[in-house]
């Protein structure tokens, strides 16, 4: 992180920590500091109100510093004059539209907090804190799909504030030993509720941001999230100690108040560290949008489960291992009052024997569920699978790959016979079982034969990273073209359509600037149809598809009522991916961006052709591919 980014993370973390305390202190007063009424309670309310206003004031100052740091990052300059000049543009962003009302609520709490009822003060600070969810990673897009995550993030913030700020309130209350035992007991239900909300909302939003197991252990975001989870687990340990040992002991007089103070202080320190890590996470790229480095030589794979020779062994290994785990739990789980009574030794000993036998026969075959992995195995292509990248790969393939793999990729190049092992057949359907990251690793570092001798050279020094990704895009289109040609122009899996830049007519599609912008509409893509008759065009426009005509001349506008563009690379990409020769071609793309059919020949004009196109479009919409638009789009 640069110094500007570091200052951004620090000021953000400080502001959030103080905002959490500002909401949590009055929440403690409302939810925990209840009856009995009396001078002790009134005095505590007064103390909590003063600390609340102090926390709100400090959060306001830290928020202004965060706003200035964001302005500095916005322009890439931390000088005072640059920051002052960037404050206006920063205020006009979504970040500014959220932060400024939040700071106004904090200012209102500071100005009027001495006269407002404690519930109204808590309402101001709680609203300010909840609105912070609108500037996090979860709220990148404001739409209906993001609403559950946004609500979960708000609940996460409020629960964190009630827990951490509540502990700060409890620490202040411990200055009055006469109330300590009662307040510690009353705080426990609030702590349990907050912890439950924190865990549930973190799981809901964290899974999508981390990006699976690879993102968890292979990206900075995931690794920081693991550290945050570890600190949270330690906080849970402190909370459990308070709930089951310290608070009851305090009530019985067997534990001193100093033990509770120490435990709460440790929990607050851990909570502050968790908030700091959360601020760090908010300042870096989520793991789901990063390229994870896989640290192991193997990765999980379910391909073997459908294998006719080894699938049965894999299923047996899973069943035996599962049986062993169940038997182990039966034997070692401690009793749980009211729910679980520990079995007698007559049951536990046979259960341990069953567990040992199950593990002995099941665990060794679990390696069938793994395949070789590389550091880049979980990388995804950054190209967006465009026609331009496919065409670039097509230009590179003859000079770098064809001598071994052959001009058509079938592994029959002129140098193939001289290799110690045959080159891969790039037209075989099982090529799609290999991840883009695996293929990128082989292109980058080469591939050895069983004796360790290089059988495919490393292209890291010959091709740039972008060129290697372009080759991978072309290899995927080459593979698709071969299998689709065998299937007589029909795709049976979710192969995405290569991306194109387009122009669309005035109307509902006027803002569409690319093929991806037509998502939700089936598309009939025509390449090599420069002269489309008006009757043919009218016939196609009467179907559910959006006609898209790619011209060969750079200055040729699409016919009225159609989308189109002049994309020289489109012919290369689509003729390769459709397995067609030169000449006019038509490609049906479903509303999810997946390729469905390809034809060679003129633009359809007869009623029979239009009826067939309509029927095939309707069938494609009724039977979408399980993978949607395929696995190679990464916008």
């Amino acid at each position: 992180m640069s110094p500007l980014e570091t200052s951004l993370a620090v000021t953000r973390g400080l502001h959030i920590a103080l905002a959490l305390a500002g909401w949590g202190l009055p929440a403690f007063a409302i939810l925990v500091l209840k009856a009995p009424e009396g001078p002790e309670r009134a005095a505590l309310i007064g103390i909590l109100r003063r600390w609340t206003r102090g926390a709100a004031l400090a959060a306001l100052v830290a928020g202004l510093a965060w706003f200035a740091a964001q302005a500095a990052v916005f322009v890439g300059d931390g000088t005072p004059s640059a920051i002052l000049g960037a404050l206006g543009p920063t205020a006009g962003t979504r970040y500014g539209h959220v932060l400024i009302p939040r700071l106004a609520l904090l200012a209102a709490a500071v100005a009027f907090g001495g006269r407002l009822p404690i519930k109204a003060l808590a309402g101001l600070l709680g609203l300010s804190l909840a609105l912070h969810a609108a500037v996090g990673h979860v709220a990148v897009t404001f739409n209906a799909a993001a609403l559950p995550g946004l609500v979960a993030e708000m609940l996460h913030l409020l629960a964190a504030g009630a827990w951490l700020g509540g502990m700060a309130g409890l620490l202040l209350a411990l200055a009055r030993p006469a109330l300590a035992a009662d307040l510690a007991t009353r705080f426990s239900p609030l702590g349990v509720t907050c912890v439950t909300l924190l865990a549930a909302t973190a799981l809901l939003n964290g899974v999508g941001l981390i990006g699976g197991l690879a993102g968890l252990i292979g990206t900075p975001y995931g690794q920081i999230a693991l550290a945050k989870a570890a600190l949270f687990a330690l906080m849970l340990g402190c909370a459990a100690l308070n709930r089951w040992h310290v608070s009851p002991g305090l009530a019985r007089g067997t534990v001193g108040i100093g033990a509770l103070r120490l435990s709460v202080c440790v929990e607050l320190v851990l909570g502050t560290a968790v908030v700091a890590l959360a601020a760090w996470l908010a300042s870096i790229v989520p793991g789901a949008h990063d390229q994870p480095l896989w640290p192991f030589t193997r990765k999980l794979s379910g391909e073997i489960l459908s294998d006719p020779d080894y699938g049965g062994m894999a299923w047996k290994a899973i069943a035996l291992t599962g049986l062993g785990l169940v038997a182990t739990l039966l034997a070692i789980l401690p009793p749980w009052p009211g729910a679980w009574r520990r079995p007698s030794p007559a049951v536990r000993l046979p259960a341990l024997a069953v567990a040992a036998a199950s593990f002995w026969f099941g665990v060794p075959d679990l390696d069938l569920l793994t395949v070789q992995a590389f550091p880049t195995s979980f990388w995804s292509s950054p190209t967006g699978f465009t026609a331009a990248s496919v065409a670039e790969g097509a230009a590179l393939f003859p000079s770098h790959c064809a001598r071994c793999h052959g001009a058509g990729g079938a592994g029959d190049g002129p140098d193939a016979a001289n290799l110690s092992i045959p080159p891969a057949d790039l037209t075989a359907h099982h090529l799609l079982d290999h991840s883009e990251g695996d293929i990128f690793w082989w292109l980058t570092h080469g591939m050895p034969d069983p004796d360790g001798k290089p059988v495919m050279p490393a292209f890291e020094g010959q091709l740039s990273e972008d060129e290697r990704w372009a080759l991978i895009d072309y290899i995927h289109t080459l593979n698709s073209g071969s299998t689709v040609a065998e299937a007589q122009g029909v795709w049976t899996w979710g192969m995405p359509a290569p991306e194109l830049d387009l122009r669309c007519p005035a109307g509902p599609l006027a803002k569409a600037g690319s093929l991806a912008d037509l998502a939700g509409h089936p598309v009939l893509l025509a390449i090599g149809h420069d002269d489309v008759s008006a009757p043919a065009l009218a016939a196609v426009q009467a179907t559910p598809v959006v006609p898209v005509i790619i011209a060969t001349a750079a200055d040729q506008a699409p016919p009225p009522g159609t989308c189109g563009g002049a994309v020289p690379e489109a012919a290369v990409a689509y003729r390769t991916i459709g397995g067609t020769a030169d000449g006019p071609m038509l490609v049906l793309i479903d509303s999810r961006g997946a390729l469905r059919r390809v034809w060679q020949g003129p633009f359809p004009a007869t009623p029979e052709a239009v009826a067939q196109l309509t029927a095939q479009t309707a069938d494609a919409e009724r039977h979408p591919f399980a993978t949607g638009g395929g696995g190679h789009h990464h916008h």
Side-chain angles (χ1 to χ4, degrees), residues 1 5-6 9-10 12-13 137 220-221 224 227 274-285:
M1 297 176 68
E5 292 170 334
T6 300
V10 169
R12 179 182 187 135
H137 286 311
Y221 189 95
I224 296 171
V274 168
V275 172
L277 291 180
W280 191 359
L281 287 174
S283 304
I284 62 176
V285 177

Side-chain angles (χ1 to χ4, degrees), residues 11-12 14-16 18 56-70 95 99 102-103 106:
T11 53
R12 179 182 187 135
L14 183 60
H15 167 73
I16 291 302
L18 292 166
L57 177 59
L60 176 62
V61 173
L64 292 171
W66 178 27
F67 186 66
Q70 184 66 64
Y95 164 81
L99 183 63
R102 289 190 59 242
L103 296 181
L106 288 172

